C-alpha cells in the first residue's frame, strides 16, 4: 500500500487495481483496520455489538468489490444500500453456520436475542429444538428478509454492465435464506444448502442478460 510494489503476484495485482481504481485504496485501508475483529470475535452481547461488527468489518470487506461496481453518481445512496445488503447477508451467514460456529466456540447471534426467546448457548449446542429455539430462528429470518428484498434497489445504482452480477448476488442470498428457513432448528446439526437447480437457473438467466446487454451495446 505504501510503495505500490510487492513480491507476491496477488499483491502486485492489488497495487495495479488501485492505480486503475483509486477509490479502492480507502476501502482496503478500512478493511485492514477492521480485519482483527474477524479473528478475535467469539460472540456479541447485544444487537449493537453486532451492528458495530458489520460497520467495522463486514461492510469494508464487501466494499472491496462493491466499490468497483458503483455508478459514479451513486454515493451515499449506494453505500447505504450496500450496508443494508451486507447486514442481511452477515446475519444470514451467522444463522446458516450456527452449528459450525458453535463447534469452534463462537456464536454470531447476539446474546440478547437468545435471552429474548429464553434460549441458552447450551440449548443450541445440544441441538434442542425447543419452542424458544424455533422462535429465535424465525425472528432472525424475519430480520434478514426485508434487507434482502430492499437490496434489489442496488441494481439501479451500479453501472449497467454490473447489473446482472448484482441481481445474481442478491438472488443467491435469497435462495440461501429459503434453504435456512426450510431447515429450521435442524440448522443446529448442520448447515443448509440452497437448491442447486434454482441457483443454476439464476446464473443462466443473468448470464443471458449479460450477453444480451453486450450485444445491444453499439460497437466503437
Amino acid at each position: 500500500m505504501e510503495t505500490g510494489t510487492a513480491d507476491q503476484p496477488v499483491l502486485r495485482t492489488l497495487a495495479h487495481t488501485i492505480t486503475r481504481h483509486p477509490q479502492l485504496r480507502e476501502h482496503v485501508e478500512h478493511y485492514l483496520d477492521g480485519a482483527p475483529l474477524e479473528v478475535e470475535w467469539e460472540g456479541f452481547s447485544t444487537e449493537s455489538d453486532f451492528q458495530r461488527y458489520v460497520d467495522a468489518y463486514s461492510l469494508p470487506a464487501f466494499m472491496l468489490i462493491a466499490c468497483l461496481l458503483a455508478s459514479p453518481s451513486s454515493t451515499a445512496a449506494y453505500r447505504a444500500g450496500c450496508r443494508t445488503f451486507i447486514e442481511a447477508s452477515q446475519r444470514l451467514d451467522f444463522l446458516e453456520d450456527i452449528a459450525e460456529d458453535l463447534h469452534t466456540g463462537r456464536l454470531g447471534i447476539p446474546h440478547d436475542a437468545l435471552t429474548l426467546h429464553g434460549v441458552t448457548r447450551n440449548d443450541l449446542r445440544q441441538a434442542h429444538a425447543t419452542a424458544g429455539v424455533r422462535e429465535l430462528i424465525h425472528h432472525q429470518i424475519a430480520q434478514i428478509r426485508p434487507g434482502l428484498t430492499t437490496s434489489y434497489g442496488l441494481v439501479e445504482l451500479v453501472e449497467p454492465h454490473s447489473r446482472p452480477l448484482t441481481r445474481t448476488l442478491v438472488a443467491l442470498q435469497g435462495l440461501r435464506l429459503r434453504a435456512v428457513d426450510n431447515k429450521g432448528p435442524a440448522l443446529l446439526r448442520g448447515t443448509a444448502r440452497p437448491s442447486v437447480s434454482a441457483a443454476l437457473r439464476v446464473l443462466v438467466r443473468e448470464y443471458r442478460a449479460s450477453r444480451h446487454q453486450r450485444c445491444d451495446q453499439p460497437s466503437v
Side-chain angles (χ1 to χ4, degrees), residues 1 24-34 64:
M1 292 292 290
L24 179 59
R25 174 180 291 275
E26 176 185 5
H27 297 291
V28 172
E29 291 172 346
H30 288 167
Y31 170 75
L32 293 175
D33 288 341
L64 294 176

Side-chain angles (χ1 to χ4, degrees), residues 7 19 25 34 39 42 53 75 88 94 118 143 162 173 185 204 216:
D7 294 334
T19 64
R25 174 180 291 275
V39 178
E42 294 182 356
Y53 174 88
T75 53
F94 284 148
Q143 289 180 286
S162 296
Q173 294 295 72
V204 169
D216 291 341

Side-chain angles (χ1 to χ4, degrees), residues 5-202:
T5 61
D7 294 334
Q8 298 181 42
V10 67
L11 294 182
R12 289 200 299 272
T13 301
L14 174 61
H16 175 71
T17 303
I18 290 174
T19 64
R20 297 289 301 275
H21 303 278
Q23 73 272 28
L24 179 59
R25 174 180 291 275
E26 176 185 5
H27 297 291
V28 172
E29 291 172 346
H30 288 167
Y31 170 75
L32 293 175
D33 288 341
L37 282 176
E38 172 59 15
V39 178
E40 298 167 358
W41 80 272
E42 294 182 356
F44 308 104
S45 296
T46 67
E47 175 68 16
S48 294
D49 293 332
F50 167 74
Q51 295 294 335
R52 282 192 289 272
Y53 174 88
V54 171
D55 286 327
Y57 174 73
S58 305
L59 181 59
F62 180 61
M63 292 305 294
L64 294 176
I65 299 298
C67 76
L68 304 176
L69 307 179
S71 168
S73 61
S74 302
T75 53
Y78 181 68
R79 184 177 177 83
C82 289
R83 175 61 170 75
T84 297
F85 174 74
I86 202 59
E87 178 188 331
S89 297
Q90 184 64 77
R91 204 184 296 274
L92 176 57
D93 285 348
F94 284 148
L95 184 57
E96 185 181 55
D97 296 338
I98 189 170
E100 180 182 346
D101 286 343
L102 285 168
H103 182 71
T104 61
R106 291 179 158 193
L107 179 62
I109 300 175
H111 181 74
D112 59 2
L114 272 64
T115 301
L116 177 65
H117 298 285
V119 175
T120 66
R121 273 205 182 202
N122 190 58
D123 291 331
L124 300 178
R125 281 192 294 266
Q126 298 300 319
H128 293 158
T130 64
V133 168
R134 294 179 185 277
E135 292 171 0
L136 173 68
I137 293 173
H138 177 76
H139 183 249
Q140 292 295 303
I141 290 171
Q143 289 180 286
I144 295 166
R145 185 171 283 116
L148 292 185
T149 300
T150 300
S151 294
Y152 278 102
L154 283 172
V155 174
E156 300 304 317
L157 299 177
V158 300
E159 294 283 14
H161 64 267
S162 296
R163 289 173 184 172
L165 171 61
T166 304
R167 280 194 300 266
T168 299
L169 288 174
V170 181
L172 291 180
Q173 294 295 72
L175 294 180
R176 291 177 61 210
L177 181 60
R178 185 185 305 171
V180 164
D181 195 8
N182 289 339
K183 192 154 187 176
L187 288 165
L188 301 177
R189 296 190 294 273
T191 191
R193 297 298 181 197
S195 165
V196 173
S197 59
L200 286 174
R201 284 194 294 272
V202 169

